[in-house]
Coordinates of all heavy atoms in Angstrom, one line a residue:
C55 N -1.1 1.1 13.7 CA -1.1 -0.3 13.9 C -1.7 -1.1 12.9 O -1.3 -2.3 12.7 CB -1.9 -0.5 15.3 SG -1.2 0.3 16.8
L56 N -2.5 -0.6 12.1 CA -3.2 -1.3 10.8 C -2.4 -1.1 9.6 O -2.1 -1.9 8.8 CB -4.6 -1.1 10.8 CG -5.5 -1.5 12.0 CD1 -6.9 -1.2 11.7 CD2 -5.2 -2.9 12.5
F57 N -2.3 0.2 9.3 CA -1.8 0.6 7.9 C -0.4 0.2 7.8 O 0.0 -0.2 6.6 CB -2.0 2.2 7.7 CG -3.4 2.6 7.4 CD1 -4.5 1.8 7.8 CD2 -3.6 3.8 6.7 CE1 -5.8 2.3 7.6 CE2 -4.9 4.1 6.4 CZ -6.0 3.5 7.0
I58 N 0.4 0.4 8.7 CA 1.9 0.2 8.5 C 2.2 -1.2 8.2 O 2.9 -1.6 7.2 CB 2.6 0.7 9.9 CG1 2.7 2.3 9.7 CG2 4.0 0.1 9.8 CD1 3.3 2.9 10.9
P59 N 1.7 -2.3 9.0 CA 2.1 -3.6 8.6 C 1.5 -4.0 7.2 O 2.2 -4.7 6.4 CB 1.5 -4.4 9.7 CG 0.7 -3.6 10.4 CD 1.0 -2.2 10.3
L60 N 0.3 -3.5 6.9 CA -0.3 -3.8 5.6 C 0.6 -3.2 4.5 O 0.9 -3.9 3.5 CB -1.7 -3.2 5.6 CG -2.8 -3.9 6.3 CD1 -4.1 -3.2 6.3 CD2 -3.0 -5.4 5.7
L61 N 0.9 -1.9 4.7 CA 1.8 -1.3 3.6 C 3.0 -1.9 3.4 O 3.6 -2.0 2.3 CB 1.9 0.3 3.9 CG 0.6 1.1 3.8 CD1 0.9 2.5 4.5 CD2 0.3 1.1 2.4
I62 N 3.7 -2.4 4.5 CA 5.0 -3.1 4.4 C 5.0 -4.3 3.5 O 5.7 -4.6 2.7 CB 5.6 -3.3 5.8 CG1 6.0 -2.0 6.4 CG2 6.8 -4.2 5.6 CD1 6.4 -2.2 7.9
I63 N 3.9 -5.1 3.8 CA 3.7 -6.4 3.2 C 3.3 -6.0 1.7 O 3.8 -6.7 0.7 CB 2.6 -7.2 3.7 CG1 3.0 -7.7 5.2 CG2 2.2 -8.3 2.8 CD1 4.1 -8.7 5.2
I64 N 2.4 -5.0 1.4 CA 2.0 -4.7 0.0 C 3.2 -4.1 -0.7 O 3.4 -4.6 -1.9 CB 0.9 -3.7 0.0 CG1 -0.4 -4.3 0.6 CG2 0.7 -3.1 -1.3 CD1 -1.5 -3.3 0.9
Q65 N 4.0 -3.3 -0.1 CA 5.3 -2.9 -0.9 C 6.1 -3.9 -1.2 O 6.8 -3.9 -2.3 CB 6.0 -1.8 0.1 CG 7.2 -1.1 -0.6 CD 8.1 -0.5 0.4 OE1 8.5 -0.9 1.4 NE2 8.2 0.8 0.1
G66 N 6.3 -4.9 -0.3 CA 7.2 -6.1 -0.7 C 6.5 -7.1 -1.7 O 7.3 -7.8 -2.5
K67 N 5.2 -7.1 -1.8 CA 4.5 -8.1 -2.7 C 4.2 -7.4 -4.0 O 4.2 -8.1 -5.0 CB 3.4 -8.6 -2.0 CG 3.7 -9.7 -0.8 CD 4.2 -10.9 -1.3 CE 4.4 -11.9 -0.3 NZ 4.9 -13.3 -0.8
D68 N 3.7 -6.2 -3.9 CA 3.1 -5.6 -5.2 C 3.3 -4.0 -5.2 O 2.5 -3.3 -4.7 CB 1.7 -5.8 -5.2 CG 1.0 -5.3 -6.6 OD1 1.5 -4.6 -7.3 OD2 -0.1 -5.9 -6.8
I69 N 4.4 -3.6 -5.7 CA 4.9 -2.2 -5.6 C 3.9 -1.3 -6.3 O 3.7 -0.2 -6.0 CB 6.3 -2.0 -6.2 CG1 6.9 -0.7 -5.9 CG2 6.4 -2.4 -7.7 CD1 7.0 -0.4 -4.4
E70 N 3.3 -1.9 -7.5 CA 2.3 -1.0 -8.1 C 1.2 -0.7 -7.4 O 0.6 0.5 -7.3 CB 2.0 -1.6 -9.5 CG 3.0 -1.6 -10.5 CD 3.7 -0.3 -10.9 OE1 2.9 0.6 -11.0 OE2 4.9 -0.3 -11.0
L71 N 0.7 -1.7 -6.6 CA -0.4 -1.5 -5.7 C 0.0 -0.4 -4.6 O -0.8 0.4 -4.2 CB -0.9 -2.8 -5.1 CG -2.1 -2.7 -4.1 CD1 -3.3 -2.1 -4.9 CD2 -2.4 -4.1 -3.5
F72 N 1.2 -0.7 -4.1 CA 1.6 0.2 -3.0 C 1.6 1.6 -3.5 O 1.3 2.6 -2.8 CB 3.1 -0.2 -2.6 CG 3.7 0.8 -1.6 CD1 3.4 0.7 -0.2 CD2 4.6 1.7 -2.0 CE1 4.0 1.5 0.7 CE2 5.2 2.5 -1.1 CZ 4.9 2.5 0.2
R73 N 2.1 1.9 -4.8 CA 2.1 3.3 -5.4 C 0.7 3.8 -5.5 O 0.5 5.0 -5.4 CB 2.9 3.3 -6.6 CG 4.4 3.1 -6.5 CD 5.1 2.8 -7.7 NE 6.5 2.6 -7.5 CZ 7.3 2.1 -8.4 NH1 6.9 1.6 -9.5 NH2 8.6 1.9 -8.1
A74 N -0.2 2.9 -6.0 CA -1.5 3.4 -6.1 C -2.1 3.8 -4.8 O -3.0 4.9 -4.9 CB -2.4 2.2 -6.8
I75 N -1.9 3.1 -3.7 CA -2.4 3.6 -2.5 C -1.8 4.9 -2.0 O -2.5 5.7 -1.7 CB -2.2 2.4 -1.4 CG1 -3.0 1.2 -1.7 CG2 -2.6 2.9 0.0 CD1 -2.7 -0.1 -1.0
T76 N -0.5 4.9 -1.9 CA 0.2 6.0 -1.2 C 0.2 7.2 -2.2 O 0.4 8.4 -1.8 CB 1.7 5.6 -1.0 OG1 2.4 5.2 -2.1 CG2 1.6 4.4 0.1
G77 N 0.0 7.0 -3.5 CA -0.2 8.1 -4.4 C -1.6 8.7 -4.5 O -1.7 9.8 -5.2
G78 N -2.5 8.2 -3.7 CA -3.8 8.8 -3.7 C -4.7 8.4 -4.8 O -5.7 9.1 -5.0
S79 N -4.3 7.4 -5.6 CA -5.3 7.1 -6.7 C -6.3 6.0 -6.3 O -7.1 5.8 -7.1 CB -4.5 6.7 -7.9 OG -3.7 5.4 -7.6
N80 N -6.2 5.4 -5.2 CA -7.1 4.3 -4.8 C -7.2 4.4 -3.3 O -6.3 3.9 -2.6 CB -6.7 3.0 -5.3 CG -7.9 2.0 -5.2 OD1 -8.8 2.1 -4.2 ND2 -8.0 1.1 -6.1
Y81 N -8.4 5.0 -2.7 CA -8.5 5.1 -1.3 C -9.2 3.9 -0.6 O -9.2 3.8 0.5 CB -9.3 6.3 -1.0 CG -8.6 7.6 -1.4 CD1 -9.4 8.6 -2.1 CD2 -7.3 7.9 -1.0 CE1 -8.8 9.8 -2.5 CE2 -6.8 9.0 -1.4 CZ -7.5 10.0 -2.1 OH -6.9 11.2 -2.5
D82 N -9.7 3.0 -1.4 CA -10.4 1.9 -0.9 C -9.7 0.5 -0.8 O -10.2 -0.5 -0.2 CB -11.8 1.7 -1.6 CG -12.6 3.1 -1.5 OD1 -12.7 3.5 -0.3 OD2 -13.1 3.5 -2.5

């Protein structure tokens, strides 16, 4: 309920940030 809408918006706005999150390089 929380991660999915955030990740969708982040993927659309900042693909590098999306990759950093989902690639496990930044957990916070």
Side-chain angles (χ1 to χ4, degrees):
C55 295
L56 298 185
F57 284 24
I58 285 175
L60 285 172
L61 288 169
I62 291 172
I63 295 295
I64 291 170
Q65 185 189 50
K67 290 286 186 179
D68 189 341
I69 189 62
E70 292 303 319
L71 179 60
F72 176 80
R73 289 170 179 163
I75 295 169
T76 58
S79 61
N80 193 326
Y81 296 130
D82 297 313

